Amino acid sequence: MSSSSAFNDEKGGSSSVGEPEYGHDPASGGIFSSDYKRHDDLKEMLDSNKDSLKLEAMKRIVAMIARGKNASDLFPAVVKNVACKNIEVKKLVYVYLVRYAEEQQDLALLSISTFQRGLKDPNQLIRASALRVLSSIRVTIIVPIMMLAIKEAASDMSPYVRKTAAHAIPKLYSLDPEQKDQLIEVIEKLLADKTTLVAGSVVMAFEEVCPERIDLIHKNYRKLCNLLIDVEEWGQVVIINMLTRYARTQFLNPNINESLLEEGSSSDKTFYGSEEDEDDEEEKEKKAEAVAIAKRKPYVMDPDHRLLLRNTKPLLQSRNAAVVMAVAQLYFHLAPKAEVGVIAKALVRLLRSHSEVQYVVLQNVATMTIKRRGMFEPYLKSFYIRSTDPTQIKILKLEVLTNLANETNISTILREFQTYIKSMDKDFVAATIQAIGRCATNIGEVRDTCLNGLVQLLSNRDELVVAESVVVIKKLLQMQPEKHSDIIKHMAKLTDNIQVPMARASILWLIGEYCEHVPKIAPDVLRKMAKSFTNEEDIVKLQIINLAAKLYLTNSKQTKLLTQYVLNLAKYDQNYDIRDRARFIRQLIVPTEKSGALSKYAKKLFLALKPAPVLESPFKDRDHFQLGSLSHLLNAKAGGYQELPDWPEAAPDPSVRNVEVPEWTKCSSREKRKEKKVEKPFYSDSEGESGPTESADSESDSASSSERSSGSSDSGSGSESEESEEASDSEEEEEDEEEKDKKKKKKKKETKKPRQQSESEQTSDEEEKKRERKSKQCKSDSESESEEEESESESSQSESEESESEAEVKKKKAAESKPPPKPVKKESKKEKKEMSLLDLDDFEPAPSPQVTPVNTFLSNSLVTDLEGLSLSDTVLSPATISPSSALKNYELLHRITGEGLSVEYCFSRQPFSPDGNMVAVQMQFTNSATADAKSLHMEDVKLQSGMRVKEFPEIELLPAGETATAVMGIDFCDSTQAANFQLCTHTRKFFVSIQPPVGELMRPVFLTENEFKKEQGQLMGMNEITEKLTLDAKCRNEHSIVQRVTTAVNVSRVPCGSDKECRFAGRTVTSGSLVLITVVTKEEGAAQLTVNCEKMLIGTMLVKDVLLALTQ
Amino acid sequence: MIHSLFLINRSGDIFLEKHWKSVISRSVCDYFFEAKEKAVEPEDVPPVLQTPHHYLISIFRGKLFFLSVIQTEIPPLFVIEFLHRVADTMQDYFGECSESVLKDNVVTVYELLEEMLDNGFPLATESNVLKEMIRPPTILRSVVNTLTGGSNVGGTLPTGQLSNIPWRRAGVKYTNNEAYFDVIEEIDAIVDKSGSTVFAEIQGVIEACVRLSGMPDLTLSFMNPRLLDDVSFHPCVRYKRWESERVLSFIPPDGNFILMNYHVSSQNLVAIPVYAKQSISFFETGSCGRLDITIGPKQAMGKTVESLMVRIHMPKAVLSANLTATQGNYTYDLATKVLVWDIGKLNPQKLPNLRGSLTTQAGAPKPEDNPSLNIEFKIQQLAISGLKVSRLDMHGEKYKPFKGVKYLTKAGKFQVRT
């Protein structure tokens, strides 16, 4: 700095106020004087007529700038050449101008007219570069000129110029923030641009100027989603990050029904669960609407939300790490839990990249693993550490490995850690020891193993290793000190050798804290420490005082004098902390006449039970920052960081994203949904066509599209109009619905039973198809959720499922062929009719499409289904089920053993909505005692490995003589092992156990006859068990066979041509293995039972149960 | 967005600076130098640093630090990826990315940086586009330019910028039309002391060199695409066709580029081509140690293992090595404590062996641990995963191109623990 300012003085003070500081460059120190001369010949060269000389001069000047030297005194000479013909000279002049214009504002104005001329040039390249330089000149006087130029360029023909305009917006904004309002107008205009070239740049401008104006995005949301894949990579990153925030404000949390207990459940499980939820919610919606608007809106994924997830997914395959990370964070923040897993593979791939990329990715993975451990578990080995990794990468990988550790993989991880401890990199070794400590606290099973391992490390030669181990052992011992007095003794011995202060302090603290466990050693340690007190580090001294105080309180006979001695030493210590501590402790523990009230409690103060430290990941709770952001990496809010908003309670109106077309003004609000539908193909069109073409094209494109969409208003012809008619039909229907909601609901309920009954025995093919289609729809997650759209299912499905390009082709075809409108109408009517059937289906939980044709049982299960829906919907505030008669009740707690409290349970055969893999167990509590029972809950669940339980919510009060019901979920892991637990009231605890009959471990599935045969064909041999039997006299007709089988086993009937044969199908709840049952009847009550099941054990047990059911 | 860029050499001199917004003083780099002092190796410098007013994001490439200054929130990977792209571009233009080369071509570098970012936001990063705007220096052209006063800067807007395929320049013409693809696979492995594999996976890359006239549309298909577990593509590859048909369909950029990266599913067992028998031990007394290493072929699929090299990071206490190698020669670098044994071709009949004694610092405690072996090798004409290109088709152009595929297997991060 000093030399460069000296240099400026030398030249006669051309330096201005804004002159930046330059570091001293020793290499160039000697040339300053010659530099001065050289500037003269540079000026000469610039003034010459020859382009080659000018070029040479400019090159030398730019080289000076690049090296950070000051070349500002050449400004007038350089600016003269701004209009030079030679394009390279011109470019270099621009470089110079942009660099120094800020310092020489008046002179810079000379060049402005050149750029203004350039803005009108017929060549788009020149227009763009003129705008680029003009906007880069940071001179406030020209703000109005820039504003004008940007506005003009924003409607330029060339998308390249428009892109440049988008880039110019943040430049102008930083120069003069007061222009914000005008700039927002330009941004709004450019956001509507349909070319991929502009999209990234304008979103960037949006983020810099007005990130809070989320409303500007609505209309462009779908376009941005569709263009995304064709935008250049940098633009993709910016758009994805912005859309993540947008989605957080506009859509509902897809994991809203997720319970924390479910963490780590497999993907299809949740998928299954969420499907249930949908139906539940629908059901609830119908009920609630009749009463009042639901407090919590049902979760149905907005199609726009789905669109975003679908369109970003391919970008995980991008070569650009930033794009991959952007998609990964989008999925992490927005996707349903089951879908987040797809990002793991891509992130693991990035670990092969440059070490800086690894560093950032590992930070983010570390945060993700805390929330979603299961996602990265399959890639555990990819996080193994190599000795050549940089230390910071090693430590991050260690963090990830620690987060991934669980009961199943802990042994592998510990073995891996063992090799790390031998590393040469001591920081890394220390981090490994801490990681072991964390594994030990988190996973109880290995605590002892870890502790033993760490104790072995105490004899390690490296002192750092020993010290770190001591610190970690101290934390571990705090959890269960009783068991480990020998370790404490061992550590006491270490005080002779260990010199690391932190380790010494830790040992002393341990001995003091648990001095009862080592009553003989503790005073001796204190004796030694008293001896070396003066030479210890401060933290050690403090702990010596602590130890002395604690010993004084517990064993004052032996240690009274020692304590006095230590306190005296401390009294004259150099450190005031230690002096203070000594004074404080003396007052507290040594009884004097003046001693205050506190000294009575000294023992309580010092020997209070201290909670064991929680070893937590430093990455915990970091996910409140948007992942992948700078703020997340630093764990501190960076300037300009936009908070990731929380999900809204209720979704804002989705119709704001519909693009308005002038002709549509007369549409009533109820048609808006329709509008959405029509747009879809239009967008896929635009995706194909609106590549970066000249604006003329894109304009015509938009024109044609508006024409097309206008077609869907009444007057138009063509495919859309047909669709719209069809739709409006169904819309009317929908409207009806909306109006007569209440009525209908009642009606539906009434009609439901008879209709299903009439359907009984044979399920029409049509219905089957419907079902299939429906389930498919659910899976494709297209806009199938709400009723009215279901009625359009055929068309909407085809759109969503086919790739866009195909959709486009289809559209065109449809337009060409123009089928007569009448059939369509008919069809829609037909659909209307069917719709009510569909609605009926909706009342049933989707995963158990139940087609049991037996009247009594059906109606029964229907009731329970309905109840189940309302129930599983409100798991948090459990509703009650009146146990239906057909379900077998089992006794959990007898009235006598339960001292008046009796508990019965039955398997309600409802899908347990918090977790699809659990069997719902409905419990009925009856309090026949005279006193009220309070706070009924369960405790101390003992399970076989793999089994899980979702406890029923606590029943706070069960008054005498009353009955209450609750539902719990148990994942039996497809075994008939009992789940044991304690049932607690406020006074008593009862040991109880629930053992499921094998028939309750499955849920019904619906198969067609052909599917059944096909599946059966695959489950032959060992998987097939056949038994001959004689049917019970009362049970010789088909009806009763079906009834008995379905009562014993939770399966559904499979349609069958022959009346001599009954078939049933189900799946086990946890593993989803197929279970097929066939009963063939012969003369005289003879029959043959066949069970096909992949799990032989289940098959065998099932045969027994069914035999029993049929023969008795 | 990216505010400024400083290029810093290993000794800490700033030799180039570029600002895309108003100028930021060099003194901001002091925070970086501080962190650099603390770090043992240049790789240990944290890539992201926080200073009172700025954030510094840096990469270390080819003995140079690329340090960018950021003022507001921006995804760090965005910056890191961009800096690497800058380094790649320099490499592409000048053949290498070193201080001397960048200093020699400082004006071109400056022009490139000017085009790559506008106001801190990437503008043109595709090498094809850049090359049309700023021609890479060649000796012939620089001679011609000095004589005629011509320039290296293109006068027209690169057509690529405006088309759907920004990666390809228009009007390409070659007399010999050729397309070469190199399938290069790297084995990453950790082998433990007993010789069993702790972890192994195969990472592959397809590097392409395409010199075809016009606008060729290529389709590359594999015999066994199911092998590929995870892939990432150059933007030119049509993702939909890969999803549906498992073929690579693309309009290639002109020149050299990386077509795809892939990962072979870990379910497949990875063949480990070499094994190492080693014993490195240090004695409690006498401040010395013994080293004995033998390398042998394991599953090399009948091909010869070439360019075999063993690299060992010795403990700090090891002063010198007195060894004899039956094949190749070894060097021990005292400063970095790295023992390199360059073997060359592996002869299965006569296994190469390196043995001898190590001298450790007198009085220093015996080194705690045994250093691990990093092995490098190459196997020509083999893709260890078994991936095979079945055919390459071209549409859109009339001529017959010359096509070629080459396979190569290399050791990636191949480590033997001891």
Side-chain angles (χ1 to χ4, degrees), chain A residues 171-310:
Chain A
K171 296 184 205 169
L172 180 54
Y173 179 65
S174 67
L175 195 62
D176 183 7
E178 285 181 14
Q179 304 292 325
K180 188 172 176 178
D181 292 339
Q182 287 194 58
L183 287 174
I184 289 176
E185 276 171 35
V186 182
I187 290 174
E188 193 169 1
K189 184 172 179 184
L190 285 172
L191 274 173
D193 205 296
K194 288 191 180 59
T195 55
T196 50
L197 203 57
V198 182
S201 305
V202 70
V203 172
M204 188 63 236
F206 170 83
E207 290 281 81
E208 295 231 329
V209 177
C210 52
E212 71 286 349
R213 287 290 304 273
I214 213 87
D215 56 297
L216 296 180
I217 302 300
H218 292 321
K219 293 266 173 284
N220 303 294
Y221 172 81
R222 289 179 198 151
K223 183 194 69 192
L224 284 174
C225 285
N226 285 323
L227 287 184
L228 193 57
I229 194 143
D230 291 325
V231 175
E232 35 89 39
E233 4 179 35
W234 312 107
Q236 286 173 347
V237 178
V238 178
I239 295 177
I240 293 171
N241 278 319
M242 185 274 291
L243 288 180
T244 309
R245 266 192 302 119
Y246 178 84
R248 272 295 189 101
T249 60
Q250 300 300 316
F251 306 131
L252 290 175
N253 184 357
N255 300 321
I256 200 156
N257 295 319
E258 163 194 329
S259 95
L260 287 171
L261 278 175
E262 272 180 280
E263 200 106 332
S265 62
S266 77
S267 56
D268 51 335
K269 239 192 272 173
T270 7
F271 174 57
Y272 184 57
S274 69
E275 219 177 2
E276 280 168 40
D277 294 344
E278 266 164 35
D279 289 54
D280 295 351
E281 299 287 4
E282 253 169 76
E283 166 64 20
K284 188 196 167 194
E285 184 181 29
K286 284 168 198 155
K287 282 193 173 176
E289 259 179 299
V291 188
I293 295 161
K295 273 179 206 158
R296 192 187 60 180
K297 275 237 172 171
Y299 181 68
V300 173
M301 187 182 267
D302 191 302
D304 288 327
H305 190 172
R306 176 53 59 194
L307 177 75
L308 178 61
L309 292 175
R310 196 173 50 218

Side-chain angles (χ1 to χ4, degrees), chain B residues 97-109:
Chain B
C97 183
S98 67
E99 186 183 359
S100 60
V101 166
L102 294 185
K103 271 182 169 169
D104 289 347
N105 296 289
V106 67
V107 176
T108 316
V109 172

Side-chain angles (χ1 to χ4, degrees), chain A residues 807-951:
Chain A
E808 185 188 333
V809 173
K810 242 203 150 178
K811 234 16 314 183
K812 279 177 188 159
K813 267 192 199 160
E816 279 162 22
S817 59
K818 283 188 190 174
K822 266 194 178 174
V824 180
K825 270 197 174 172
K826 255 187 198 167
E827 206 178 285
S828 69
K829 267 188 188 146
K830 207 164 124 200
E831 290 217 349
K832 215 161 85 186
K833 219 176 179 182
E834 283 169 1
M835 197 180 68
S836 53
L837 293 178
L838 275 175
D839 284 348
L840 275 179
D841 285 348
D842 287 341
F843 275 84
E844 299 166 5
S848 57
Q850 81 125 50
V851 196
T852 27
V854 183
N855 296 355
T856 51
F857 186 71
L858 176 99
S859 56
N860 202 342
S861 78
L862 195 68
V863 171
T864 46
D865 268 356
L866 287 168
E867 284 160 345
L869 282 165
S870 64
L871 174 104
S872 44
D873 180 32
T874 52
V875 190
L876 296 174
S877 55
T880 51
I881 305 180
S882 54
S884 53
S885 54
L887 295 171
K888 197 173 167 189
N889 275 321
Y890 303 87
E891 188 164 75
L892 189 64
L893 187 64
H894 191 261
R895 186 165 47 86
I896 297 176
T897 42
E899 295 171 3
L901 179 72
S902 70
V903 184
E904 285 190 327
Y905 68 93
C906 65
F907 295 91
S908 60
R909 298 196 171 179
Q910 300 312 313
F912 189 66
S913 72
D915 187 332
N917 278 6
M918 289 190 175
V919 178
V921 182
Q922 182 190 320
M923 321 185 43
Q924 188 178 8
F925 301 87
T926 312
N927 188 1
S928 40
T930 45
D932 293 357
K934 281 178 201 153
S935 75
L936 284 166
H937 64 281
M938 50 196 281
E939 250 178 33
D940 196 22
V941 185
K942 287 205 181 70
L943 298 172
Q944 302 293 325
S945 70
M947 284 168 62
R948 291 170 307 135
V949 160
K950 172 94 174 76
E951 296 170 12

Side-chain angles (χ1 to χ4, degrees), chain A residues 54-93:
Chain A
K54 283 184 180 175
L55 184 60
E56 183 56 31
M58 280 317 297
K59 278 188 173 173
R60 274 161 62 182
I61 294 168
V62 167
M64 279 166 66
I65 297 174
R67 268 177 284 142
K69 302 252 181 61
N70 192 348
S72 58
D73 58 325
L74 288 163
F75 201 92
V78 173
V79 169
K80 261 186 270 175
N81 289 301
V82 74
C84 179
K85 287 277 180 303
N86 183 312
I87 190 142
E88 189 167 14
V89 173
K90 201 147 112 182
K91 273 204 168 176
L92 293 175
V93 170

Side-chain angles (χ1 to χ4, degrees), chain A residues 1066-1083:
Chain A
R1067 275 185 196 282
T1068 59
V1069 170
T1070 306
S1071 63
S1073 320
L1074 208 58
V1075 179
L1076 306 175
I1077 303 174
T1078 318
V1079 181
V1080 183
T1081 49
K1082 292 169 188 162
E1083 278 96 64

Side-chain angles (χ1 to χ4, degrees), chain A residues 350-581:
Chain A
L350 295 186
L351 293 181
R352 281 274 302 174
S353 192
H354 303 285
S355 77
E356 296 88 7
V357 175
Q358 287 183 41
Y359 176 79
V360 178
V361 171
L362 282 170
Q363 297 249 2
N364 287 294
V365 170
T367 307
M368 287 185 196
T369 45
I370 288 171
K371 259 222 155 154
R372 308 258 150 88
R373 185 205 292 155
M375 201 162 94
F376 287 97
E377 256 174 271
Y379 304 99
L380 182 74
K381 287 190 170 176
S382 303
F383 298 101
Y384 279 8
I385 294 157
R386 292 185 166 77
S387 60
T388 42
D389 286 332
T391 308
Q392 47 187 350
I393 301 288
K394 283 182 190 164
I395 289 176
L396 283 171
K397 280 187 175 174
L398 208 55
E399 172 69 35
V400 173
L401 285 175
T402 316
N403 289 343
L404 289 182
N406 61 19
E407 284 84 354
T408 50
N409 58 20
I410 184 69
S411 57
T412 349
I413 290 182
L414 282 181
R415 208 174 312 133
E416 190 64 18
F417 281 177
Q418 215 134 43
T419 57
Y420 299 163
I421 285 170
K422 290 188 217 144
S423 166
M424 276 180 261
D425 186 341
K426 291 303 163 210
D427 292 338
F428 170 53
V429 174
T432 309
I433 293 170
Q434 284 186 352
I436 293 175
R438 252 179 59 201
C439 287
T441 38
N442 297 341
I443 302 164
E445 285 92 334
V446 295
R447 195 167 296 152
D448 290 338
T449 328
C450 289
L451 204 53
N452 288 337
L454 289 169
V455 169
Q456 271 166 30
L457 282 181
L458 291 178
S459 47
N460 194 296
R461 223 159 341 146
D462 192 285
E463 205 186 3
L464 275 173
V465 174
V466 179
E468 200 66 43
S469 314
V470 167
V471 175
V472 173
I473 288 175
K474 176 202 137 194
K475 288 179 184 162
L476 288 183
L477 284 185
Q478 255 183 287
M479 291 179 185
Q480 36 195 180
E482 323 72 43
K483 284 194 207 161
H484 299 291
S485 59
D486 50 330
I487 297 179
I488 299 176
K489 277 177 207 155
H490 181 91
M491 291 179 63
K493 282 181 207 146
L494 283 174
T495 47
D496 295 340
N497 303 319
I498 287 194
Q499 293 308 322
V500 177
M502 189 61 209
R504 286 177 80 85
S506 294
I507 295 175
L508 292 176
W509 183 88
L510 260 184
I511 294 171
E513 188 67 25
Y514 304 114
C515 50
E516 313 95 280
H517 301 294
V518 283
K520 291 196 180 133
I521 296 174
D524 201 49
V525 171
L526 182 62
R527 182 184 58 80
K528 280 187 186 164
M529 285 297 133
K531 219 155 98 186
S532 61
F533 185 87
T534 45
N535 300 323
E536 298 290 351
E537 285 277 337
D538 289 345
I539 44 168
V540 186
K541 284 180 181 168
L542 288 175
Q543 288 309 327
I544 295 174
I545 300 172
N546 257 349
L547 172 65
K550 284 174 187 166
L551 284 178
Y552 184 90
L553 290 172
T554 51
N555 185 4
S556 64
K557 211 185 281 173
Q558 270 185 303
T559 56
K560 192 171 182 180
L561 286 173
L562 266 176
T563 307
Q564 296 281 6
Y565 175 67
V566 168
L567 287 177
N568 278 337
L569 282 179
K571 195 174 170 185
Y572 300 106
D573 199 89
Q574 283 190 324
N575 186 303
Y576 50 76
D577 261 350
I578 294 170
R579 294 198 300 273
D580 275 358
R581 180 74 62 91

